[in-house]
């Protein structure tokens, strides 16, 4: 699982990514090494849209995003990252989004009208700390109900605020709105480094990952 530091960031990060990927069956997360000008980075992806929760202050030392897992004293709380949501119109009609609470940001959308035939609407910067409450998002005049943790059996933290839970809440009223929701892949983009060569211990979605680049 380990290699000596070669000074080649791509090679040095390969073993770290391989170590993370050995636990993919348990975490639902895949690590990919991305070459960049002046170095390389590690990106994490959960294809099913589950949250990615990272604990471990040292995570930013080997090509994951700076400060990843370092929130609130680092070793105990970590950070949780969510995916986006794509809305699609069943019959191609426009998708009209609004809010009765003023908190449409909890859904990651902006109020407005979106084409139902040009890719629909895609959320951005969903706030995992905030679950949807009834009225935060209104679609074609119909209020979306609260998002529930019980609708997300894949995430290990922040379930009620995940893209999976919010998509489920939207889909419960699809017969009234003519709009369906899909939880997109969750991606955490790393930060380029020039080289690596250190031991690391992190937790990914509740699973300990230890290795050396």
């Amino acid at each position: 699982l380990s290699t000596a530091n070669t000074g080649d960031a791509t090679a040095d990060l390969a073993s770290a990514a391989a170590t993370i990927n050995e636990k993919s069956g348990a975490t639902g997360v895949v690590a990919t090494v991305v070459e960049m000008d002046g170095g390389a980075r590690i990106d994490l992806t959960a294809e099913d849209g589950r949250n990615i929760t990272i604990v471990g202050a040292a995570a930013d030392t080997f090509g994951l995003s700076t400060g990843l897992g370092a929130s609130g004293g680092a070793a105990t709380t970590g950070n949780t990252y969510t995916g986006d949501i794509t809305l699609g119109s069943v019959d191609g009609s426009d998708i009209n989004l609004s809010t009765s609470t003023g908190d449409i940001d909890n859904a990651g959308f902006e109020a407005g009208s979106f084409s139902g035939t040009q890719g629909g609407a895609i959320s951005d910067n969903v706030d995992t700390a905030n679950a949807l409450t009834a009225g935060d998002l209104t679609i074609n005049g119909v209020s979306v109900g609260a998002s529930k943790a019980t609708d997300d059996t894949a995430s290990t933290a922040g379930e009620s605020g995940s893209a999976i839970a919010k998509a489920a809440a939207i889909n419960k009223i699809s017969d009234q709105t003519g709009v369906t929701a899909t939880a997109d892949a969750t991606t955490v983009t790393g930060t380029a480094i020039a080289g690596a060569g250190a031991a690391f211990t992190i937790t990914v979605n509740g699973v300990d990952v230890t290795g050396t680049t």
Side-chain angles (χ1 to χ4, degrees):
L1 300 180
S2 303
T3 61
N5 184 5
T6 67
D8 179 334
T10 302
D12 289 338
L13 292 179
S15 65
T19 302
I20 295 169
N21 290 337
E22 284 197 345
K23 303 293 181 71
S24 291
T27 65
V29 175
V30 174
T32 303
V33 178
V34 179
E35 293 187 62
M36 303 177 67
D37 290 341
R41 69 174 194 257
I42 291 177
D43 291 351
L44 301 178
T45 304
E47 287 292 340
D48 63 0
R50 73 182 66 190
N51 291 345
I52 298 177
T53 300
I54 309 293
V55 179
D60 61 313
T61 64
F62 59 93
L64 289 169
S65 59
T66 301
L68 184 69
S71 173
T76 57
T77 55
N79 287 316
T80 296
Y81 303 83
T82 64
D84 291 326
I85 302 165
T86 297
L87 302 181
S89 173
V90 173
D91 63 5
S93 300
D94 284 353
I95 300 172
N96 297 296
L97 305 181
S98 59
T99 178
S100 61
T101 65
D103 291 325
I104 195 171
D105 285 347
N106 288 342
F109 293 102
E110 299 291 335
S113 181
F114 302 86
S115 171
T117 60
Q118 310 259 340
I122 301 175
S123 68
D124 185 29
N125 296 324
V126 176
D127 186 351
T128 191
N130 296 326
L132 282 178
T133 60
D136 284 349
L137 177 64
T138 298
I139 302 176
N140 292 342
V142 181
S143 176
V144 177
S147 56
K148 299 180 180 180
T150 53
D151 287 324
D152 180 359
T153 59
S155 299
T156 59
E159 294 93 332
S160 63
S162 72
I164 292 174
K166 291 175 181 178
I170 293 167
N171 288 330
K172 288 175 182 176
I173 59 168
S174 290
D175 60 337
Q176 301 175 62
T177 64
V179 174
T180 59
T182 303
D184 299 329
T186 304
T187 300
V188 180
T189 301
T191 300
I193 62 172
F200 63 89
T201 299
I202 59 174
T203 300
V204 180
N205 285 353
V207 179
D208 290 337
V209 180
T210 300
T212 307
T213 57

